[in-house]
Amino acid sequence: IPVELSRPAVLPFICGDVNNDRNGPNVIDLTFLVGYLFRNGPPPPILAAADMNNSLGNPNVVDVVRLVGYLFKGGPAPDCP
């Protein structure tokens, strides 16, 4: 009997969806990122989703500022690598 194995489709991450729950970017993602950066919280499942200023580095306070601006001040949307 022939058998074909296939992998389920993996959708690309959503830029700014820091906790990777597919519902972001939102305040929960902001809280997750602040917890990671300043409270020794768990790292984002996909670090690139938290690199919202496309600096090709680890998430940092600049990414927090970008997300705050986007969510509360009408700033530019997150721009991930």
Side-chain angles (χ1 to χ4, degrees), residues 5 10 12 15 17 20 24 26-27 30 35 38 41 50 58 66 71 75 80-81:
L5 301 176
V10 177
C15 185
D17 184 15
N20 198 34
N26 56 36
V27 174
L30 177 61
F38 304 109
N58 287 326
R66 176 93 180 224
L71 293 174
C80 295

Side-chain angles (χ1 to χ4, degrees), residues 4-78:
E4 182 179 322
L5 301 176
S6 63
R7 299 177 75 170
V10 177
L11 299 175
F13 64 87
I14 298 170
C15 185
D17 184 15
V18 180
N19 65 352
N20 198 34
D21 67 358
R22 310 297 292 173
N23 289 315
N26 56 36
V27 174
I28 296 169
D29 297 298
L30 177 61
T31 303
F32 191 99
L33 183 57
V34 168
Y36 167 64
L37 292 174
F38 304 109
R39 307 290 287 163
N40 294 318
I46 302 172
L47 281 177
D51 182 14
M52 291 171 271
N53 67 333
N54 200 357
S55 65
L56 301 176
N58 287 326
N60 58 40
V61 69
V62 177
D63 299 299
V64 171
V65 171
R66 176 93 180 224
L67 187 54
V68 167
Y70 173 68
L71 293 174
F72 302 110
K73 299 290 187 179

